[in-house]
């Protein structure tokens, strides 16, 4: 079974509007972390935001916020006030267990294209 | 501070050839890992290491070997290249001091084609 599912292969968004990227996850571990990464066409992986399973509040980092619904096992990324530079692939990822480590499971990604 | 560096950037191999993808980091990170990204897909973990001398398998380890003799370096060896190993390979590192929010720092990737 897929541990991380991103059901939107691609989407368009108008510049200056907000966009929500869906991510659902599957784990039986009560301790986990959820990450979002951006991959522009140049190929590098850029960390955007992190949400821990025990965090009481939804994470925010500038124009990025995470809509964390633990009971539904979803961790949707919201990008506010989209900019042309937001056009990229976006990946949701999960690390199971609280101990810091480098084992991430990635979803298949969502391609976002921002229209002027 | 160079971060995570990978060499080469591009490589073409013939089926059956072997090679080593290099990865180095200068941030004194304990954790390092190798991922592969196939076209249109997310990253999949090949091997990872929690410190010098300690490595373990990830999701797709077959056909690859790793070793970690120093904190800085984590080379990935392809033993006998196959067309199915055509992919982009990313190396990543992170620090145990970061706690649960262990942001992984990724290298720029190596694009490998096996003919």
């Amino acid at each position: 079974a897929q541990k991380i599912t991103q059901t939107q292969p691609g989407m368009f968004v108008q510049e200056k509007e907000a966009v929500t990227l869906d991510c659902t996850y599957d784990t039986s571990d009560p301790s986990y972390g959820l990450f979002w990464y951006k991959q522009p066409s140049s190929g590098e992986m850029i960390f955007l935001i992190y949400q821990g399973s025990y965090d009481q509040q939804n994470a925010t980092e500038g124009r990025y916020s995470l809509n964390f619904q633990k009971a539904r096992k979803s961790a949707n990324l919201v990008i506010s006030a989209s900019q042309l530079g937001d056009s990229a692939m976006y990946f949701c990822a999960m690390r199971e267990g609280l101990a810091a480590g480098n084992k991430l499971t990635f979803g298949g990604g969502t391609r976002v294209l921002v229209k002027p | 501070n160079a971060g995570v560096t990978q060499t080469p950037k591009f490589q073409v191999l013939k089926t059956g050839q072997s090679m080593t993808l290099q990865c180095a980091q200068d941030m004194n990170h304990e954790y390092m890992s190798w991922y592969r990204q196939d076209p249109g897909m997310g990253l999949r973990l090949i091997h990872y290491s929690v410190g010098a001398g300690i490595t373990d398998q990830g999701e797709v380890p077959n056909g690859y070997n790793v070793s970690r003799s120093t904190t800085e370096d984590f080379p990935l060896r392809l033993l006998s290249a196959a067309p199915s190993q055509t992919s982009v390979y990313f190396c990543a590192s992170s620090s145990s001091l970061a706690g649960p929010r262990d942001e992984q720092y990724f290298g720029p990737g190596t694009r490998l084609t096996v003919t």
Side-chain angles (χ1 to χ4, degrees), chain B residues 37-76:
Chain B
Q37 184 179 26
D38 298 326
M41 297 179 63
L43 281 67
R44 290 184 293 168
L45 182 66
I46 305 171
H47 285 285
Y48 66 99
S49 170
V50 297
I54 307 170
T55 64
D56 206 346
Q57 297 181 351
E59 181 186 353
V60 288
N62 292 343
Y64 308 95
N65 271 358
V66 292
S67 59
R68 184 104 179 264
S69 56
T70 67
T71 299
E72 294 77 21
D73 300 298
F74 190 43
L76 177 73

Side-chain angles (χ1 to χ4, degrees), chain A residues 29-98:
Chain A
D29 195 322
S31 304
Y32 53 89
L34 296 158
F35 301 76
W36 277 91
Y37 284 86
K38 172 184 179 181
Q39 187 177 45
S41 57
S42 50
E44 72 268 30
M45 297 292 289
I46 302 168
F47 167 78
L48 296 178
I49 197 166
Y50 164 83
Q51 180 83 44
S53 59
Y54 295 118
D55 292 345
Q56 294 297 310
Q57 295 192 333
N58 287 344
T60 60
E61 295 276 357
R63 293 187 299 111
Y64 305 106
S65 60
L66 206 151
N67 183 2
F68 181 46
Q69 299 187 44
K70 195 170 180 176
R72 298 180 61 183
K73 293 189 175 180
S74 75
N76 298 339
L77 176 71
V78 180
I79 307 174
S80 63
S82 297
Q83 302 171 355
L84 296 179
D86 294 334
S87 294
M89 282 289 288
Y90 290 82
F91 292 99
C92 179
M94 176 173 65
R95 186 207 59 243
E96 293 173 277
L98 266 185

